[in-house]
Amino acid sequence: KAYPEVKCLSGEAIELAAISTLGLLIWGLGIPLLLFMKIKLMGSERLKPQNLRNYSFFVQGFEPQMWWWDIVTKRLDVFLMQFWLHWDLVNNVQSKLLLYAFTSGIFLAAHYHFQAYDNRQAGLLDFVEGFGLCARFTAFAIVAFIVIFTPSPFWTGLLGGSMIILSVCFALYLLLHVVRNVLFTALTMEYIKTSDDNELEDECRSSSSRVVARFS
């Protein structure tokens, strides 16, 4: 429940602000920092099966030298977005929207500079990540532009429609790949099962032939 009459950082709200700040720092910076140090100290052994069993969620899918990308960059991205959302660093909505757009643009540029994901399927992971970051940056930038400059209804509808179309295209693109992977996995499993059945049948026939030949 919201209490708009309570003034932040005053009276009893100071204790709540301290608790929320501590939680945000631990969750947004502390835990990722501990994970980073833990995995970094492993060195090249981080790719061994016993370590991948525990930490593959954080390091798989990236170039070997960019194993830290998810722990550092993506966690920092989430932390900053949460920080802008829950802390009134600026006093108006327009400035907060600009912070969202600016942060999105920084991490979009960082993604295209480092290209941290591995090159499986012709760089599909880098492309999907870039597409998603581009859609997010475009959404925040368009909303900020509309709120700050209040264009005419025609341009507002055009910009808003473009933002919606881009977001829908990204969602459909993700859905397409999800369906493709599900079908590919199902067909692969069916092929393996069929191959195993055929091999078992051939082995049974061969064994029967050897038995018949032995007693004939």
Side-chain angles (χ1 to χ4, degrees):
K1 183 178 179 180
Y3 296 92
E5 70 277 4
V6 176
K7 187 177 181 180
C8 295
L9 302 180
S10 64
E12 296 180 355
I14 294 180
E15 297 179 0
L16 297 177
I19 294 173
S20 63
T21 302
L22 181 62
L24 186 62
L25 290 175
I26 292 175
W27 178 79
L29 294 178
I31 295 176
L33 180 60
L34 289 176
L35 276 172
F36 173 80
M37 295 304 300
K38 175 71 174 177
I39 299 176
K40 181 177 176 59
L41 290 174
M42 294 179 185
S44 59
E45 294 186 355
R46 72 176 67 97
L47 298 178
K48 289 187 175 180
Q50 61 269 27
N51 291 323
L52 286 177
R53 189 178 301 112
N54 297 322
Y55 301 102
S56 61
F57 177 83
F58 303 102
V59 300
Q60 285 283 65
F62 300 96
E63 297 287 354
Q65 71 276 13
M66 301 298 294
W67 61 267
W68 50 267
W69 184 258
D70 181 76
I71 302 174
V72 176
T73 309
K74 303 305 293 183
R75 296 314 106 194
L76 181 61
D77 186 354
V78 174
F79 171 78
L80 288 177
M81 286 297 189
Q82 293 292 325
F83 187 81
W84 305 145
L85 176 65
H86 295 290
W87 273 84
D88 292 328
L89 191 64
V90 292
N91 296 322
N92 54 73
V93 176
Q94 293 89 338
S95 299
K96 185 168 287 193
L97 287 172
L98 285 176
L99 282 175
Y100 291 150
F102 177 76
T103 304
S104 301
I106 289 295
F107 286 100
L108 174 62
H111 166 73
Y112 279 110
H113 175 74
F114 288 101
Q115 297 283 298
Y117 294 88
D118 60 30
N119 295 322
R120 70 183 73 179
Q121 297 188 23
L124 178 63
L125 294 175
D126 277 320
F127 177 78
V128 172
E129 177 73 5
F131 193 177
L133 291 173
C134 182
R136 185 182 71 163
F137 170 72
T138 303
F140 281 126
I142 288 178
V143 171
F145 180 85
I146 292 174
V147 171
I148 294 173
F149 295 102
T150 59
S152 65
F154 171 78
W155 286 106
T156 300
L158 182 62
L159 291 172
S162 301
M163 178 185 67
I164 293 173
I165 290 173
L166 181 61
S167 300
V168 170
C169 287
F170 175 66
L172 291 177
Y173 186 79
L174 281 182
L175 180 62
L176 176 65
H177 280 284
V178 169
V179 172
R180 173 190 173 277
N181 287 334
V182 170
L183 293 177
F184 178 78
T185 302
L187 291 174
T188 302
M189 295 301 295
E190 183 66 25
Y191 174 78
I192 293 174
K193 181 180 178 181
T194 303
S195 299
D196 291 341
D197 292 341
N198 291 336
E199 290 178 2
L200 180 60
E201 184 178 353
D202 292 340
E203 185 177 349
C204 291
R205 289 177 179 175
S206 178
S207 299
S208 300
S209 299
R210 288 196 299 269
V211 171
V212 172
R214 181 176 180 181
F215 292 99
S216 60

